[in-house]
Amino acid sequence: MSMIIFLIALITMVLANIISKKTFMDREKSSPFECGFDPKSSARLPFSLQFFLIAVIFLIFDVEITLLIPFILILPLTHPMMYFYTLSFFLFILLLGLYHEWNQGALSWAL
């Protein structure tokens, strides 16, 4: 049954690709648009990969901090030693990930 569904989806995609009127080498679509005039300078700005890596690492650790909030809420409901072990293990994993990023050089801002 899954093979039949796969074949129907594949045939549909191939037919849509053949029938579509899109052109990939259209000059108007590939050029930057500035109110109908030719651009004065390059429309592409240089992008810092190091900044992107720092932003992704920040986002990951920010999400992990939001995972720590339920630990505060379940404190009265759990045994103190189990709470301590679970929280310590979670923080150990976070610190291990931070050490790995630091050891790989992802946290150093090189120009």
Side-chain angles (χ1 to χ4, degrees):
M1 187 65 175
S2 63
M3 191 62 144
I4 293 171
I5 294 172
F6 178 75
L7 285 174
I8 291 172
L10 185 67
I11 291 170
T12 306
M13 286 189 292
V14 168
L15 283 176
N17 196 10
I18 292 171
I19 296 173
S20 69
K21 295 181 180 179
K22 290 183 180 180
T23 58
F24 293 106
M25 300 303 292
D26 191 7
R27 181 183 177 278
E28 297 298 325
K29 288 185 180 180
S30 64
S31 66
F33 180 71
E34 285 189 13
C35 301
F37 298 105
D38 290 330
K40 293 181 180 180
S41 63
S42 175
R44 307 269 184 215
L45 297 175
F47 184 72
S48 172
L49 185 61
Q50 189 69 25
F51 176 77
F52 177 73
L53 288 175
I54 295 284
V56 168
I57 291 169
F58 172 77
L59 184 66
I60 290 170
F61 280 103
D62 194 37
V63 169
E64 290 172 349
I65 293 298
T66 61
L67 292 175
L68 284 174
I69 292 174
F71 277 109
I72 299 169
L73 299 175
I74 65 167
L75 178 61
L77 304 173
T78 60
H79 189 268
M81 287 307 288
M82 190 63 172
Y83 179 81
F84 174 73
Y85 290 145
T86 307
L87 188 61
S88 298
F89 181 70
F90 186 74
L91 290 175
F92 174 73
I93 291 173
L94 288 180
L95 289 174
L96 191 68
L98 181 64
Y99 174 73
H100 177 70
E101 294 295 331
W102 177 58
N103 196 22
Q104 293 293 319
L107 299 178
S108 64
W109 193 270
L111 295 176

